[in-house]
Amino acid sequence: MYGCGMAHITTSVEYGIHCLLLLVGNEDRPMSSRDLADLQGVSPSFIAKIFPKLEKAGIVVASGGVRGGYLLARSLDKITFLDIVDAIEGEKPLFDCQEVRGRCAVFGGDPPAWATKGVCAIHAVMLQAERAMRDALAAQTLASIAERFGRKAPAQFFADVDTWIDERINDRTARSGRPASKPPD
């Protein structure tokens, strides 16, 4: 069987996007990576590995302190899925051509020029597919997905999430000995 390496988009990207959607509408209320993880039922250390990458890419900004956490660093329509994927996964190719075409046993270890001349036809197809995927990811913004999600989820869901976040922030504030602020209206 011919082998060709094809990377894939990991679950880190999926959780990263879900976390970013949770930051939408929270411009004045940072969320900790622990709260984002707990809200989604995943390990805080898993989310804690994602957010420094998003911060380095300028997608989120961090604030410190008991009430600290992450906020979106730019407007939703300026954050593309490609930005997010590249921030989390790095700008690695989806396909890693192994130049299998030159390894045929009948070549005896010395492939003829015709066999390896130019771009491998398989690699060319994969490059075309990668360009199409990157273009599709670049065309989708966090704003477009947030809008779709906002139409699907009932208003009560957003109210419940807001209450959950406020309770977590107020619990941390109370444990720190600082006065709790009242939740936003």
Side-chain angles (χ1 to χ4, degrees):
M1 179 171 145
Y2 290 127
C4 40
M6 186 158 184
H8 66 282
I9 295 175
T10 65
T11 57
S12 295
V13 170
E14 182 178 6
Y15 278 104
I17 292 169
H18 278 277
C19 287
L20 292 171
L21 284 171
L22 290 168
L23 297 180
V24 172
N26 284 311
E27 291 80 11
D28 59 345
R29 184 177 56 183
M31 288 185 66
S32 72
S33 58
R34 175 172 291 282
D35 287 348
L36 289 164
D38 288 350
L39 194 54
Q40 296 180 84
V42 295
S43 161
S45 62
F46 176 68
I47 298 299
K49 291 176 186 168
I50 296 170
F51 268 76
K53 295 174 182 180
L54 294 170
E55 184 178 14
K56 183 177 179 186
I59 295 170
V60 298
V61 293
S63 62
V66 175
R67 298 182 69 82
Y70 291 98
L71 296 167
L72 293 174
R74 53 189 197 243
S75 66
L76 300 178
D77 61 338
K78 301 290 185 212
I79 301 172
T80 69
F81 271 45
L82 183 60
D83 294 335
I84 298 165
V85 169
D86 285 347
I88 295 172
E89 300 289 344
E91 293 185 40
K92 62 187 177 196
L94 291 176
F95 179 76
D96 182 21
C97 185
Q98 300 297 305
E99 286 295 331
V100 172
R101 64 188 176 156
R103 295 182 185 173
C104 184
V106 299
F107 298 154
D110 187 23
W114 65 263
T116 57
K117 183 178 179 186
V119 175
C120 168
I122 295 167
H123 192 187
V125 169
M126 296 301 188
L127 287 171
Q128 181 182 11
E130 180 175 351
R131 275 191 299 275
M133 189 187 95
R134 291 182 71 80
D135 288 347
L137 290 171
Q140 292 297 319
T141 65
L142 205 53
S144 61
I145 300 307
E147 182 182 324
R148 279 193 244 164
F149 180 67
R151 287 193 308 257
K152 183 176 182 179
Q156 187 58 49
F157 170 76
F158 297 108
D160 291 346
V161 169
D162 283 344
T163 299
W164 188 92
I165 294 166
D166 288 337
E167 288 172 359
R168 296 284 294 235
I169 291 170
N170 288 332
D171 285 348
R172 275 197 308 279
T173 303
R175 283 194 311 271
S176 74
R178 294 185 183 165
S181 66
K182 73 175 205 171
D185 296 322

